[in-house]
Amino acid sequence: SALPEAPLLPMPRGQLHSNHTPYSDPFKRAPPPPGDDPSLRSDMLISLTTSVADTSLRQSLAVGLSPPDLNLPSDEEIAQIATRARLDSVSSDHQREYEDEDVDSPTWSQHQKHIFILSISGKPVYSRYGKEDKLVNLFGIMQALVSFVQDDKDNLRTIVAGEHRFVFVCRGPLVFVAVAKSRQSESQLAIQLLYTYNQILSVLTYTQLHQIFDRSPGFDLRYLLQGSEKFIDNILNMVDSDPSFILSGIRCLAMPLSLRQAITSTLMQYRTKDVLFMVLVADNQLITYIKPKEHNLLPMDIHLILNLVDASTSFRSAESWTPICLPKFNDTGFLHAHVSYLPNDSPACLLIFSTDKEKFFALQECQQRIVEKLERLGCLQSIRQAVKEAHYGIDHLQATEIRHFVYKSRKTSCVTSPQIPCIYSDRQDRERLFELYMWIHQNLHSHSWPIKILYHVGEKEALLGWTTSKPPRSVTLSTSPARPPVSPPPRYPASTPTDRTGRGCL
């Protein structure tokens, strides 16, 4: 059964806490309920074709779902069990783009943002750039910094060194570190680290992660995450390029209301008692989803679903039976999803979730009925056409003074923005625009002095940020051609009220 959703608390501000200012982690979770001991999962996908026999299906499920014994004398034996449980669809031989880099490589230090994950004992788990084995000394230094502060019963959160900001987030047995040279604030970098944490939970669950390290504190988690690095890489790339992640919003595919209603009605018509959620996505955008009245899917869980579909190529060639944990819904157990693209080379992917791992064929039959009905209604061709026409330019709004904008409705959590104009065609200009959006968003939601309207004139554009408190309750971030230039915004947002005017304008 699903657990009630715990509210996401704001990340505390500040630099480095001392033992004179006690700090309690607002993200600390309560222990899992007694008796909830799901099986340890080390695989990510189970791909099935429609012609597979019942016997081979049961054998595949037995391989993927058998719980490895954690009471083992050595990591080598654990690795053997993890290897047997991991299926080929994980693509464990996936070659990462920057895997050969290390601290001595001239390109390694030029990356704008590094993400590291290590265990509390100092064992490497993940590095966005470079092979973890080549960065052992660096991981040791990070573990020493965290341990030094924890010895004083405190938590290390932020270190600022010149233009670089180091952000630390501790979650149970894991430590997440972001090193960035950008305008992004501590809380925004912490959100990105939370996405990596939840991506790991989607593979292992909160309960299993703690069970592993409670029994073996020196366990090398890379044995169980091998092959799933591409999912972490992909979600980090999405967070770095899509403001909807920081805004906690969802991009929805634009289409006529009648078409969306027809699709939603079809999903509801063929939903059975074995189905918990139905989610239909296309081109990293949500089309519609079906849920029980008493439950909901939060934006972070939907982002994990979008990342699963976007980073997996095997879904296009075969139906898949995929275990996934949605941490914001229930981080102690798995849901099991039937994943399939709609026929006729459709860009839409349908995910049907169930709590029962034995309901593959029931969900497969449900999917077939839905596809047949959508084909009769002509929805498949309409979805394909909607994807082609989904991206619009700023000229569509006939707002000549605006170059670009990002809009979020707080009521629906929907986010929309036009295509990036040609003036930002260069990669550095797009990154600069994204940083400006992050900078203005941080100032609008500052814990020390939140404001509703912020206007800033820079060297190349003027920026306006506006959040409303009345319906429809929206957040708008926009850029327009600059007027007389003034000094650029500070590299990092101001943290004192004296740096701002009473009207909230810079």
Side-chain angles (χ1 to χ4, degrees):
S1 60
L3 298 180
E5 170 57 25
L8 182 63
L9 302 179
M11 171 64 68
R13 296 176 61 85
Q15 299 295 318
L16 179 62
H17 280 265
S18 67
N19 55 359
H20 298 290
T21 57
Y23 169 68
S24 59
D25 189 354
F27 293 97
K28 186 176 181 181
R29 292 296 309 267
D36 193 350
D37 185 12
S39 304
L40 176 64
R41 294 302 310 273
S42 61
D43 62 306
M44 189 63 191
L45 303 172
I46 300 179
S47 295
L48 300 171
T49 61
T50 54
S51 60
V52 68
D54 294 358
T55 304
S56 60
L57 172 63
R58 295 191 184 96
Q59 292 174 351
S60 298
L61 292 175
V63 172
L65 297 174
S66 56
D69 184 6
L70 290 179
N71 296 318
L72 298 173
S74 65
D75 284 353
E76 287 75 15
E77 294 184 43
I78 297 178
Q80 293 176 4
I81 290 185
T83 301
R84 291 196 297 270
R86 188 179 299 111
L87 301 182
D88 294 338
S89 57
V90 178
S91 300
S92 58
D93 57 348
H94 171 69
Q95 183 66 33
R96 301 173 65 198
E97 184 176 0
Y98 303 99
E99 194 172 31
D100 297 331
E101 293 183 354
D102 56 28
V103 291
D104 297 324
S105 302
T107 57
W108 187 83
S109 59
Q110 296 177 4
H111 295 294
Q112 292 295 311
K113 184 186 300 176
H114 288 265
I115 302 294
F116 305 99
I117 306 175
L118 61 150
S119 67
I120 199 66
S121 62
K123 282 206 172 184
V125 175
Y126 170 85
S127 174
R128 187 177 188 181
Y129 304 112
K131 192 69 174 177
E132 294 82 9
D133 293 335
K134 299 179 182 179
L135 306 173
V136 174
N137 293 336
L138 183 62
F139 281 99
I141 294 174
M142 291 185 287
Q143 191 273 338
L145 289 172
V146 173
S147 298
F148 177 78
V149 178
Q150 285 182 342
D151 288 342
D152 289 336
K153 298 182 179 180
D154 213 331
N155 291 288
L156 179 61
R157 298 209 320 257
T158 307
I159 299 176
V160 177
E163 295 183 334
H164 289 83
R165 183 184 293 271
F166 300 74
V167 176
F168 297 78
V169 173
C170 296
R171 291 293 174 269
L174 298 181
V175 178
F176 300 80
V177 184
V179 183
K181 183 182 179 182
S182 67
R183 289 189 178 95
Q184 289 183 282
S185 66
E186 172 194 345
S187 60
Q188 291 169 344
L189 292 173
I191 290 176
Q192 299 189 34
L193 296 179
L194 289 177
Y195 269 104
T196 62
Y197 171 63
N198 283 290
Q199 182 60 51
I200 291 177
L201 292 187
S202 71
V203 181
L204 293 177
T205 78
Y206 176 89
T207 304
Q208 294 173 358
L209 182 66
H210 282 257
Q211 286 177 350
I212 291 170
F213 285 94
D214 287 345
R215 301 179 187 181
S216 179
F219 182 79
D220 191 341
L221 197 62
R222 288 177 295 173
Y223 286 139
L224 299 183
L225 295 180
Q226 182 181 358
S228 62
E229 298 93 341
K230 65 177 181 179
F231 295 97
I232 303 178
D233 292 340
N234 195 70
I235 200 167
L236 288 175
N237 293 334
M238 295 171 71
V239 173
D240 280 342
S241 58
D242 190 348
S244 65
F245 285 77
I246 301 298
L247 293 175
S248 297
I250 299 296
R251 290 191 181 273
C252 296
L253 182 64
M255 60 175 56
L257 177 61
S258 58
L259 174 59
R260 199 184 308 274
Q261 289 177 339
I263 296 173
T264 304
S265 298
T266 302
L267 297 183
M268 294 182 64
Q269 179 181 354
Y270 294 105
R271 178 186 174 188
T272 65
K273 62 179 182 180
D274 300 319
V275 175
L276 180 63
F277 297 116
M278 288 185 183
V279 182
L280 185 62
V281 300
D283 193 28
N284 279 336
Q285 299 174 87
L286 178 66
I287 296 177
T288 186
Y289 77 95
I290 306 298
K291 67 179 185 66
K293 291 183 179 180
E294 63 273 16
H295 299 301
N296 201 359
L297 281 178
L298 295 185
M300 183 169 286
D301 284 341
I302 296 180
H303 286 152
L304 292 177
I305 294 173
L306 292 173
N307 182 57
L308 173 66
V309 175
D310 185 59
S312 305
T313 58
S314 61
F315 291 149
R316 290 191 174 273
S317 58
E319 297 177 75
S320 297
W321 185 235
T322 304
I324 180 174
C325 171
L326 300 178
K328 291 298 178 182
F329 172 69
N330 178 11
D331 61 4
T332 62
F334 285 102
L335 297 178
H336 301 268
H338 179 279
V339 186
S340 63
Y341 275 83
L342 301 186
N344 302 326
D345 295 326
S346 174
C349 182
L350 177 62
L351 301 96
I352 307 176
F353 294 86
S354 175
T355 57
D356 192 341
K357 63 185 179 182
E358 304 293 342
K359 293 298 181 179
F360 170 80
F361 291 111
L363 269 59
Q364 184 187 50
E365 182 179 357
C366 175
Q367 181 263 356
Q368 292 172 352
R369 293 181 178 179
I370 291 173
V371 170
E372 292 174 359
K373 179 68 175 292
L374 293 177
E375 285 182 327
R376 291 198 304 268
L377 296 176
C379 294
L380 298 185
Q381 179 60 31
S382 299
I383 292 174
R384 187 180 295 105
Q385 188 65 26
V387 171
K388 292 180 180 179
E389 300 175 353
H391 302 288
Y392 61 94
I394 194 65
D395 296 338
H396 178 74
L397 303 178
Q398 299 179 354
T400 57
E401 290 295 318
I402 297 179
R403 291 178 178 174
H404 192 262
F405 71 89
V406 178
Y407 173 87
K408 175 195 172 183
S409 170
R410 289 184 177 176
K411 183 178 180 180
T412 62
S413 295
C414 291
V415 174
T416 184
S417 62
Q419 288 180 314
I420 300 294
C422 59
I423 194 173
Y424 297 106
S425 59
D426 185 77
R427 178 180 177 181
Q428 293 181 350
D429 288 332
R430 292 196 301 270
E431 292 177 350
R432 182 178 60 83
L433 177 63
F434 185 81
E435 287 187 1
L436 288 172
Y437 278 143
M438 295 300 98
W439 174 80
I440 198 172
H441 173 265
Q442 172 61 20
N443 282 271
L444 286 173
H445 298 84
S446 171
H447 298 305
S448 58
W449 196 10
I451 53 181
K452 294 184 178 180
I453 298 178
L454 187 151
Y455 182 77
H456 170 79
V457 179
E459 294 180 349
K460 297 184 178 181
E461 57 267 305
L463 295 95
L464 172 67
W466 181 18
T467 176
T468 63
S469 57
K470 296 181 180 180
R473 300 187 69 190
S474 62
V475 177
T476 303
L477 311 175
S478 62
T479 63
S480 59
R483 298 312 182 197
V486 297
S487 58
R491 194 65 178 174
Y492 300 105
S495 58
T496 59
T498 57
D499 292 320
R500 304 176 185 177
T501 66
R503 294 188 299 272
C505 298
L506 299 184

